[in-house]
Amino acid sequence: MMEIGVSPGRTSYRRGRQADAVVEDTRCAVAELIGVPDPSSISFTSNATHALNVAIRGSLREGDHAVTSDREHNSVLRPLEDLRRTGACVYSVVRSDPRGEVDLDAYRKEVRRGCQLMVINHASNVTGAVSPLSELADIAHEYDVPILVDASQTAGLLDIDVEALGIDLLALTGHKSLRGPSGTGVLYVRRPEKVRALFTGGSGTNSQSLRHPAMSPAKFEAGTPNYLGIAGLGAVVRTLTPQRIREDRKQVMAVSDYCLERLRSVAGVTVYDVAPNVARVPVISITMAGLYSGELSALLDERYGVMTRAGLHCAPLIHETLGTTPHGTLRISMGVSTTRSDVDVLVEGLASIEETTVRGMKTP
Ligand SMILES: Cc1ncc(COP(=O)(O)O)c(C=O)c1O
């Protein structure tokens, strides 16, 4: 803002060109991060929800059928439900087992019945279970169905190579493991001609035409972009070399494993862990008998300064699978700055709440 302070893509004066360069550098850095050979297939959006809406609503046509999973966030489920309610499309939900195991045959069956889009979460934001992306992409491609991946929980944490996996569309958010500014998102579209633009308007190019540009990224970037957010996203993504991602992942998963181990011994706590053969990201859901997750979260914050999130985490269907509807779970998320002593404070806090508040409550 201080050094450039003008909009990108609209002017040819020097600062305008500098602003363009910031946006294009970020585009290249993001493309490299997720294995995209052509940076122009990366568009900036205001968040993952925006990217998922463009991908879902822009890909599906009247009468189409989509297949998705019970691990999805509402940013996938609500656009699909909206299309269903207006009579435009139908969708089926393939359930996983409570420990994150995926029935690949169930997906194959749905896809074989005739389907135009598979929408899959790379990792659940409730249980942390990682989806078998490569196997699911193989099924989709066997039947020539495009696959849309919601990588909101994994970008910057797990290796993603859209080219190697043959992913057709991918959405991600800037503010999670990428550690970028909130209000930034990315949409990757392999074949822009197959996806309608949800928004049309100013693009800074070909302005004599009343038709919005058909080429990516302009096709999916109507209006002035969040230039500051994109600059911030670029600054952080450039630091995320494959080696740094690997090292950070090792560190955060070690803390997360330690947390899981310690949580198992806290009285009254149920841990919604994944099966040993299912990979996971560092989010853990728990409940404590005798307390709603919202109450537990408030006590952890008030008494121990531990911030956790409570409820359904915008992913209602996975709670039906886990049996945690309607109150949801307490979710513990760890990042690179989380330490074992942070985990100790959490676990000791939980043990003390169980002893004093839950058991205290039971005593007349
Ligand atoms: C798996 C998943 N998908 C989508 C989203 C939505 O991200 P955004 O808030 O950037 O739209 C989230 C955010 O919590 C998420 O965890």
Side-chain angles (χ1 to χ4, degrees):
M1 210 50 195
M2 303 283 282
E3 289 165 18
I4 302 177
V6 301
S7 292
R10 301 291 185 272
T11 59
S12 57
Y13 50 74
R14 190 171 46 84
R15 287 214 195 165
R17 292 200 311 274
Q18 285 174 330
D20 293 350
V22 168
V23 172
E24 295 319 313
D25 283 355
T26 304
R27 206 184 301 285
C28 291
V30 172
E32 199 173 327
L33 179 83
I34 60 172
V36 170
D38 175 9
S40 72
S41 44
I42 298 287
S43 304
F44 293 112
T45 58
S46 47
N47 43 44
T49 302
H50 175 181
L52 288 162
N53 267 270
V54 174
I56 292 169
R57 295 174 190 272
S59 300
L60 292 170
R61 306 280 185 276
E62 193 87 16
D64 278 357
H65 175 203
V67 61
T68 191
S69 85
D70 58 351
R71 299 180 299 285
E72 305 306 316
H73 190 272
N74 272 339
S75 51
V76 163
L77 297 173
R78 287 182 172 171
L80 286 174
E81 177 63 12
D82 194 35
L83 291 170
R84 187 192 70 80
R85 290 176 88 86
T86 54
C89 301
V90 289
Y91 66 97
S92 4
V93 173
V94 178
R95 298 263 165 193
S96 43
D97 97 331
R99 304 204 65 202
E101 284 182 294
V102 166
D103 179 356
L104 292 172
D105 282 339
Y107 283 92
R108 187 171 281 110
K109 211 183 283 171
E110 284 298 331
V111 172
R112 198 188 299 133
R113 277 199 323 161
C115 150
Q116 286 69 39
L117 185 67
M118 183 192 278
V119 192
I120 218 72
N121 200 320
H122 194 188
S124 161
N125 63 321
V126 176
T127 62
V130 175
S131 303
L133 211 49
S134 165
E135 288 84 343
L136 288 166
D138 285 349
I139 293 172
H141 294 136
E142 208 179 305
Y143 294 90
D144 215 13
V145 170
I147 177 165
L148 162 61
V149 175
D150 174 3
S152 298
Q153 287 289 328
T154 54
L157 180 73
L158 300 186
D159 301 324
I160 301 174
D161 189 333
V162 296
E163 188 75 354
L165 289 169
I167 290 167
D168 300 278
L169 301 133
L170 181 135
L172 59 84
T173 191
H175 72 277
K176 294 180 187 283
S177 290
L178 287 178
R179 294 160 250 169
S182 57
T184 56
V186 165
L187 173 65
Y188 160 71
V189 182
R190 189 164 67 90
R191 300 187 60 188
E193 72 282 6
K194 298 271 186 196
V195 181
R196 284 189 314 275
L198 279 200
F199 300 104
T200 55
S203 63
T205 55
N206 206 22
S207 302
Q208 78 285 359
S209 172
L210 294 185
R211 298 192 63 179
H212 192 75
M215 300 297 288
S216 180
K219 180 169 186 180
F220 306 112
E221 289 184 347
T224 304
N226 174 11
Y227 160 63
L228 291 180
I230 294 170
L233 186 65
V236 73
V237 170
R238 271 192 296 279
T239 68
L240 295 177
T241 58
Q243 187 189 348
R244 166 99 188 268
I245 292 179
R246 228 177 1 257
E247 281 165 10
D248 286 353
R249 181 170 64 230
K250 201 168 156 204
Q251 181 195 319
V252 74
M253 289 314 295
V255 175
S256 174
D257 288 345
Y258 172 69
C259 184
L260 259 181
E261 205 43 53
R262 289 218 60 193
L263 284 170
R264 287 198 186 101
S265 60
V266 182
V269 165
T270 303
V271 182
Y272 297 87
D273 192 8
V274 303
N277 58 329
V278 174
R280 60 181 198 88
V281 293
V283 300
I284 303 170
S285 262
I286 64 166
T287 50
M288 182 179 277
L291 277 181
Y292 292 128
S293 59
E295 295 171 316
L296 182 57
S297 179
L299 289 173
L300 280 170
D301 184 34
E302 275 162 30
R303 295 187 189 168
Y304 308 100
V306 177
M307 293 178 283
T308 52
R309 192 174 147 185
L312 298 178
H313 318 293
C314 302
L317 300 185
I318 190 69
H319 291 281
E320 292 173 6
T321 303
L322 296 176
T324 46
T325 302
H327 298 295
T329 57
L330 179 97
R331 185 181 70 183
I332 302 151
S333 311
M334 278 144 282
V336 276
S337 55
T338 313
T339 61
R340 283 173 178 245
S341 10
D342 294 332
V343 170
D344 292 340
V345 174
L346 164 83
V347 170
E348 278 145 34
L350 285 168
S352 158
I353 290 170
E354 205 278 331
E355 201 176 312
T356 57
T357 311
V358 178
R359 276 191 266 161
M361 254 171 18
K362 283 183 192 155
T363 317

